Amino acid sequence: REDGRFHSVSVQQLIEQFSCVNKAKMIDHVGGVEDGAYEIYSCVEKIIKQDILGCEMADLEGKDLGNKEDSTAPEEVVFGDVLWDAHDEREQMEAFQQASNSTCELGFEKYFERLNDLVAAPAPIPPLLVSGGPGSGKSLLLSKWIQLQQKHSPNTLILYHFVGRPMSTSSESALIIKRLTLKLMQHSWLVSPLTFDPAKLLEEFPRWLEKLSARHQGSIIIIIDSIDQIQQAEKHMKWLIDPLPVNVRVIVSVNVETCPQAWRLWPTLHLDPLNSKDVKSLISAECNSANVKLTKEQEKKLERHCRSATTCNALYVTLLGKTIACVGNTGNIDEILQRCCQCQDTVSLYRLVLRSVQESLQSDKEKGLLREILCVIGVSHNGVSESELMELYPELTSAVLASLLHSLHKMCLLTYGCGLLKFQHLQAWEMVKLEYMEAGENVISAYRQKLVEYFTMQLSQDRVTWRSADELPWLFQQQGDKQKLHKCLLNLFVSQNLYKRGHFAELLSYWQLVGKDKSSMAAEYFDSLKEYEKSSEGEESMVCLADLYETLGRFLKDLGLLSQAVAPLQRSLEIRETALDPDHPRVAQSLHQLAGVYVQWKKFGNAEQLYKQALEISENAYGAEHPRVARELDALATLYQKQNKYEQAEQLRKKSFKIRQKAARQKGSLCGFALLRQRALQLEELTLGKDTPDNARTLNELGVLYYLQNNLETAELFLKRSLEMRERVLGSDHPDCAQSLNNLAALYNEKKHYDKAEELYEKALDIRRRALAPDHPSLAYTVKHLAVLYKKMGKLDKAVPLYELAVEIRQKSFGPKHPSVATALVNLAVLYCQMKKQIEALPLYERALKIYEDSFGQMHPRVGETLKNLAVLSYERGDFEKAAELYKRAMEIKEAETLLIGGKATSRHSSSGDTFSLKSALSPNALLEHGQR
């Protein structure tokens, strides 16, 4: 529409037709096609994030709007200090959902009872083996049973892993064990250092299982589907042979033909072939879904055909039903039945399916493209995306691709996993090899080369994505091209991508293949980084360089090369302090990683100082109840425990535990399915229009949710409704009204409507002053944000009393000699300096200095920062001798700390980041600004 009018009658009719459709979403757009496509993309993205995946309902008050760190934070998921690939986790969720898809139940009840008996049996008990031929329904059985257990036994912790195609990422033993260990840690609220070394990881898993199962109140069931597809399964899964902890049960599924000999002695649940009743119900269900009716004679013919061992398994019968249903409405059912009955196993039936898809295509060109698509997916490591296929084959139109994929997906040939196309079953890939690759390795090598050229071209354009990092090194490994693999590994972004997603074992195996030991690998990476640094200019590229140095340092630390890990971590810290800000959260990240090296080196004093600095920066940046603060608390607790300071360690652990519990409650499960169900119920209640405190709180949460998605208009609607309902139900002076006022103020602040934000913050402050204790965190929050707003608006006189109140609140909360009080004093001093009131600022800095010296000692970096600011004040007042004395002391602290950390350049997160010079003291406000906390 343009100016409210439709372009044509047909458009108007279309809109009217869809306006009555439930849940239809219309996007009103006038302009270019690309802009329209982007609007649709944004809309779909919001729907997926909010309505399907759910989204973190963090309280808006915990979000410091002055800090945009969230948008620039590293993308990896951090659990403790272990990098966890959210992509791998999502892949497992999708594999579970796909495994549980079935047209009918297949009479699995008798097997469910046997699995239930295993769980109830007294310990010790070896793993249970679920065996059957290919396509017999093992994955379906396990996924259905998991769903029943989750429903009826909520206290039972079920950890599952579905192994995909051999050689894919899901079949790598180190990644599987790491994932299971982390899931156990997550559920037992234990955060502890975990080795990355694949051999040690496999060796230590039984001890982790023993330790973590003791902390769980209930049973733990570990299920690994298709365990025989894991590379060297018997060697890497030795822990299965050890006696399991009392409350742990393990179920693994295998193909009869490929089950390791040693495992055949375990109790076994063998899946029988489908009986005639199950065959009939499965085929009927498929035909009914397509409105296809079979005659009695046709049903009997199918029943007689599905009696051999290879024709009465679940996959074969499902495929048979789909084939008949697919052509039933358009073709001759007797003819297709005749052709199906000539197929005596799943692979030959898949070949018939493929040929029927080929026959439906209109040209030889389309048939050729079908071949290319299937072959290139087959030779890839983890699959290929639709957009990659269209770039690989420019002649492939989106219409042809959509049509092909629809047919291949419907007939169980292909499926989607995390947006990548892959084969739904191993037999489908075996059929494609027989059909298209009978010439053998040369054909496979040619298709691999096509992928190599495609991803190499991406690298040459500096497009290093997780896809190129996943595929290219693996393809070089399969091709046996060590020279190109070596060159690929020295692309710093490829290695960084693999490492940061937790694919440590894979990265290490590539280096071992090119014949490099740990030390020579470290030296080559360091040389590459030095070379890259020569061309790095500007803040953005320097921040990127700091990330690369940090990744290298962490990688070397995980390899046990501690002395070599210090230099890159130190360089990362220096760059971040200079390029970003000494109080930036990424500086805390550098301090944390450097401290981790000192812990392993047993230099506990150095580590403690660095962890404390990281903790303080994190608290200032994120607030006291953020998961990153919990990470620093856990690190310090572990450090104290190593030093036998058990009481201090326990206090920090309790504090961290509370933060993690709260964060988990807000976040819901990893993809938010529990949150989604909860929100559906909440929305139902809201539609009834009842005025209740709970509904008002829900409206507030929905407002926060839309705010976090940057949908400020919708957020404003919900937050206003929440405020109005709270005022009606609770009264306008209730603390909950202050929360709504506060959140609305934050929203207006974000929209730069400062006058509206000021009015609402002032109302919230008035309510909280009257309703809450003088040292309440919510009061402190409003005081802080209103003070920052006043300062932003240039109303410095109005900001002063609030900064003074912040000092009072901290004194009441922590006592007059706490470092937090000193930080508040420094904030107030900075404000006075902005107002040119140096005389008022001086005693505040002096008092802060005394607190820092008493709390941390004479040589602490915070003491150095305050001395430096005092030096500037003395210089401005003309007391040059005192300024020089104070500055000399500040530099002594700086040099001592540089020696402590082992670097040469600026190494401490400090007020200025750069070396101070008295020449710059003529314009000291920039320096003083950085001192603000």
Side-chain angles (χ1 to χ4, degrees), residues 181-278:
T181 308
L182 288 173
K183 297 290 277 182
L184 276 167
M185 281 182 170
Q186 188 183 34
H187 284 279
S188 60
W189 298 98
L190 181 71
V191 178
S192 189
L194 188 67
T195 178
F196 271 85
D197 188 311
K200 284 184 183 173
L201 197 64
L202 295 167
E203 185 188 315
E204 290 176 8
F205 182 66
R207 290 198 287 277
W208 278 114
L209 192 56
E210 186 76 47
K211 183 178 179 180
L212 297 169
S213 63
R215 297 169 67 100
H216 182 71
Q217 303 295 315
S219 300
I220 297 174
I221 301 172
I222 297 175
I223 296 169
I224 304 177
D225 179 53
S226 301
I227 194 169
D228 49 328
Q229 301 295 339
I230 294 172
Q231 300 150 33
Q232 297 180 293
E234 206 170 349
K235 175 188 172 186
H236 292 143
M237 295 288 149
K238 281 181 186 171
W239 61 275
L240 289 168
I241 299 167
D242 298 332
L244 296 166
V246 177
N247 60 335
V248 175
R249 300 289 181 272
V250 175
I251 302 169
V252 297
S253 76
V254 292
N255 280 336
V256 178
E257 300 91 342
T258 52
C259 177
Q261 194 63 40
W263 297 0
R264 293 175 188 264
L265 301 171
W266 294 343
T268 303
L269 173 62
H270 187 76
L271 267 60
D272 299 323
L274 296 183
N275 57 40
S276 57
K277 182 185 170 187
D278 289 335

Side-chain angles (χ1 to χ4, degrees), residues 549-568:
Y549 270 117
E550 184 193 292
T551 303
L552 176 58
R554 293 173 74 171
F555 184 49
L556 298 178
K557 183 184 84 170
D558 293 331
L559 286 169
L561 303 173
L562 301 181
S563 58
Q564 285 157 285
V566 170

